[in-house]
Amino acid sequence: MARPRDNSLKYYNRDVHDDDNLRYIQSAHGLIGWAIVEKLRQKVYGSPGGYYMPWNAVTERIFCSDNKISLEEFKNVLDSCFLPDIG
């Protein structure tokens, strides 16, 4: 039987040194913040197409539940990712 088609990425490059943006997230939110960003990368890169995924209140709630974090904690980290000085 043939393997089902899947157009998600099976691998993404992960540098051994974090850039200043990710280091900022970790300094502001600890390892939880770092882990949230990495889990988001896995979620996006593992979605069909690999570089984009639809996001709404349902996917947000499921992401938080799957990763055992509060919605408030997630939003705090996400807000920090979109500060003007963070790329």
Side-chain angles (χ1 to χ4, degrees):
M1 184 168 167
R3 190 175 190 176
R5 285 190 70 114
D6 184 6
N7 64 350
S8 65
L9 298 178
K10 300 299 176 215
Y11 166 84
Y12 70 96
N13 189 20
R14 177 73 178 95
D15 291 333
V16 295
H17 298 288
D18 294 333
D19 62 20
D20 285 346
N21 296 332
L22 191 52
R23 289 177 59 214
Y24 170 77
I25 298 301
Q26 184 174 339
S27 71
H29 302 283
L31 285 174
I32 295 296
W34 181 91
I36 288 171
V37 172
E38 283 301 306
K39 293 300 271 185
L40 274 172
R41 286 179 178 169
Q42 289 178 354
K43 185 81 171 159
V44 171
Y45 293 149
S47 67
Y51 295 100
Y52 168 82
M53 66 170 288
W55 194 261
N56 56 42
V58 173
T59 54
E60 185 175 69
R61 179 71 64 178
I62 291 170
F63 178 86
C64 290
S65 176
D66 288 349
N67 292 289
K68 297 176 180 40
I69 56 173
S70 70
L71 188 58
E72 180 182 355
E73 186 173 27
F74 173 74
K75 288 186 178 203
N76 287 338
V77 171
L78 198 61
D79 287 345
S80 293
C81 292
F82 291 103
L83 291 174
D85 294 337
I86 301 295

